[in-house]
Amino acid sequence: MKAMGAMKSCSITLVIIVLLFNLCCFGKAADHQNQEGLGASFIFGDSLVDAGNNNYLPTLSKANISPNGIDFKASKGTPTGRYTNGRTIGDIIGEELGSPNYAVPFLSPNSTGKAILYGVNYASGGGGIMNATGRIFVNRLGMDIQIDYFNITRKQFDKLLGPSKAKDYIMKKSIFSVTIGANDFLNNYLLPVLSIGARLSESPDAFIDDMLSHFRTQLTRLYQLDARKFVIGNVGPIGCIPYQKTINQLKEDECVELPNKLALRYNARLKDLLAQLNENLPGATFVHANVYDLVMDLITNYKQHGFITASKACCGNGGQFAGIIPCGPTSSMCAERSKHVFWDPYHPSEAANLIIAKKLLYGDTKCISPMNLKQLRDH
């Protein structure tokens, strides 16, 4: 009897220890969540922030070939489908805001269960605001499809957390970042093969009107699905990428005028649109990320930022700036990857992404307004 009593007492003690351990761990996890303040990071956009969705599409736009990802520590340098040598701006921002995991690509087999609570990435190389954008690549996820996919995720959150907690988690703790628009110019309006009809029938202002009208609808759809904290990147100086400089045979310190003019025209109107959405959608905060000026500063003052070139791609082939053939196994690669603003003919290096991300996280209203991303997280 005494032995049974002792066993019973041991069992009860063990149960209490297990319960206390679970409570302690749960408490720590909850504390971590409260301290960090970030729920999920939902990333929409194009190849600047694609983390591998295009790996799962039959498309001509892919980055899951070496040496892409050579400096990406999480994969030990193997390609993941990121169009850069290391982390994207989205990866760096997630890390800095306290997320323990990178947002998982929606099309990846891993995007199930609790993995999605840290965030989901819907971005796709070649994607744009307009559905016709990027059709030169055969397949890509445009912004409309990316939101359709978020709708699926939204329902999964209800199942994982219950409708009330899910709504709270998405509305109050999660950040929606959108980096899109460059392909609508580079791989749509400015593309001679596909868009000569569009360009003859549509002035630049009419095309930009069309883009912004679509974008308004898309952002409103996300709002209707409980998105409240938004960061929207404007279009960078696309006339300064190595590809444009190479095909237009420019000098090192020159940029192609038309793409940059179009970007600036679109950007001015985008800022107005975000101001209207801030006024018209109750409880929403739309933050405007001034990517154009941040990238232009890197290009103009590259030496002050520790770079040796802002015109030559580190990985690529063709022409003076290695700007024609995308980065792949047969490409020539620079010796100092952290000293190039551009990784390939189109995309910034991880070193450039890091500078841009830090400005968006902690910078003043010249970089990001009305608040930076650290403030948006705690807002």
Side-chain angles (χ1 to χ4, degrees):
M1 288 293 284
K2 272 184 184 177
M4 278 181 72
M7 277 174 71
K8 218 173 193 179
S9 147
C10 281
S11 302
I12 291 164
T13 308
L14 190 65
V15 168
I16 289 166
I17 289 167
V18 169
L19 279 170
L20 284 170
F21 177 76
N22 284 343
L23 277 169
C24 166
C25 289
F26 179 77
K28 274 186 180 171
D31 281 353
H32 173 81
Q33 199 77 53
N34 291 336
Q35 281 167 12
E36 302 301 355
L38 182 69
S41 174
F42 296 110
I43 298 170
F44 301 81
D46 53 30
S47 55
L48 291 168
V49 286
D50 187 348
N53 281 309
N54 277 25
N55 300 353
Y56 305 96
L57 292 175
T59 176
L60 299 176
S61 178
K62 280 187 187 283
N64 58 342
I65 46 168
S66 63
N68 290 300
I70 191 168
D71 299 306
F72 190 64
K73 291 191 179 82
S75 69
K76 297 188 169 77
T78 58
T80 59
R82 286 167 170 82
Y83 293 72
T84 183
N85 59 308
R87 293 165 296 167
T88 67
I89 292 174
D91 294 330
I92 297 160
I93 286 168
E95 269 178 18
E96 289 283 323
L97 292 180
S99 182
N101 294 79
Y102 296 126
V104 61
F106 178 83
L107 293 179
S108 148
N110 307 332
S111 66
T112 54
K114 288 184 179 170
I116 69 172
L117 293 175
Y118 298 116
V120 181
N121 184 315
Y122 307 89
S124 168
I129 291 169
M130 310 296 281
N131 289 321
T133 292
R135 61 185 165 178
I136 191 171
F137 302 118
V138 185
N139 258 313
R140 72 279 168 219
L141 310 176
M143 190 62 185
D144 281 334
I145 294 169
Q146 292 182 34
I147 299 168
D148 290 344
Y149 286 162
F150 173 69
N151 195 14
I152 294 168
T153 304
R154 181 67 193 81
K155 288 168 185 160
Q156 289 171 328
F157 265 77
D158 279 348
K159 281 181 187 164
L160 280 167
L161 301 175
S164 170
K165 270 189 183 169
K167 197 177 178 79
D168 217 45
Y169 190 77
I170 288 164
M171 287 175 88
K172 293 179 182 169
K173 282 180 165 274
S174 301
I175 291 178
F176 290 72
S177 70
V178 187
T179 307
I180 206 155
N183 284 315
D184 292 287
F185 296 111
L186 290 173
N187 292 305
N188 187 339
Y189 192 74
L190 290 169
L191 204 65
V193 192
L194 296 177
S195 65
I196 196 76
R199 274 161 76 187
L200 287 173
S201 62
E202 213 171 7
S203 70
D205 280 330
F207 182 75
I208 289 166
D209 273 349
D210 219 359
M211 272 178 80
L212 288 162
S213 161
H214 275 78
F215 204 28
R216 177 194 292 273
T217 305
Q218 289 160 350
L219 294 173
T220 306
R221 259 186 87 197
L222 282 174
Y223 175 84
Q224 286 160 349
L225 292 167
D226 296 329
R228 289 298 179 272
K229 296 182 182 190
F230 294 85
V231 54
I232 315 294
N234 65 11
V235 172
I238 48 179
C240 303
I241 61 175
Y243 172 74
Q244 285 288 332
K245 289 172 89 146
T246 303
I247 62 166
N248 288 281
Q249 299 181 321
L250 296 187
K251 291 179 189 157
E252 197 164 348
D253 59 351
E254 291 179 320
C255 294
V256 188
E257 207 177 324
L258 179 60
N260 280 0
K261 267 189 176 168
L262 289 170
L264 286 168
R265 218 182 272 195
Y266 166 80
N267 290 347
R269 303 270 305 281
L270 173 70
K271 202 168 185 183
D272 292 342
L273 169 65
L274 298 182
Q276 288 164 24
L277 292 173
N278 270 327
E279 273 182 41
N280 299 336
L281 297 178
T285 304
F286 285 87
V287 168
H288 172 261
N290 189 0
V291 174
Y292 187 99
D293 284 356
L294 289 174
V295 175
M296 194 53 109
D297 174 54
L298 284 186
I299 290 166
T300 313
N301 305 307
Y302 66 91
K303 285 180 182 164
Q304 287 159 247
H305 291 287
F307 295 101
I308 55 171
T309 176
S311 44
K312 192 168 185 186
C314 171
C315 180
N317 280 104
Q320 190 187 346
F321 306 116
I324 293 175
I325 299 161
C327 182
T330 58
S331 304
S332 57
M333 187 165 66
C334 68
E336 297 179 283
R337 297 186 289 273
S338 63
K339 302 280 187 199
H340 281 60
V341 171
F342 287 97
W343 162 244
D344 69 7
Y346 300 90
H347 307 99
S349 63
E350 182 184 56
N353 283 338
L354 194 57
I355 293 169
I356 296 161
K358 289 283 174 79
K359 290 274 174 90
L360 297 177
L361 282 154
Y362 309 110
D364 60 22
T365 51
K366 280 184 204 155
C367 309
I368 183 157
S369 59
M371 64 184 78
N372 63 36
L373 295 185
K374 183 80 164 44
Q375 292 162 335
L376 179 66
R377 183 197 71 183
D378 303 331
H379 179 60

